[in-house]
Amino acid sequence: MNVALVHFWCDERGATAIEYGLLVFGIALAIISVVMGVGSGLNSTFGSVSSALGSTGSMCQVNPYETVPC
């Protein structure tokens, strides 16, 4: 029993897997935060472009092949 406990205590194979798991978690967290930041910036930019285009005049679709100013 004592020998098995010593082998279990000295075994470091699981520690490497946990370290890799924490490393992957940190990288994923960094990627998610960057994507969220870039996404909100792009949403703001596209909103500005959309409002600028909307104020210049809109196009109405008469049929699937033709659009005319409203």
Side-chain angles (χ1 to χ4, degrees):
M1 175 70 181
N2 219 3
V3 175
L5 187 60
V6 169
H7 282 294
F8 176 74
W9 189 260
C10 293
D11 188 14
E12 295 184 6
R13 288 180 292 181
T16 304
I18 292 173
E19 289 169 356
Y20 281 128
L22 290 173
L23 186 64
V24 167
F25 175 74
I27 291 171
L29 190 63
I31 289 172
I32 289 170
S33 63
V34 167
V35 167
M36 293 295 283
V38 169
S40 64
L42 283 176
N43 191 17
S44 173
T45 302
F46 282 120
S48 299
V49 170
S50 174
S51 65
L53 289 175
S55 65
T56 61
S58 59
M59 299 295 282
C60 294
Q61 188 170 6
V62 177
N63 58 45
Y65 306 106
E66 181 181 6
T67 56
V68 295
C70 292

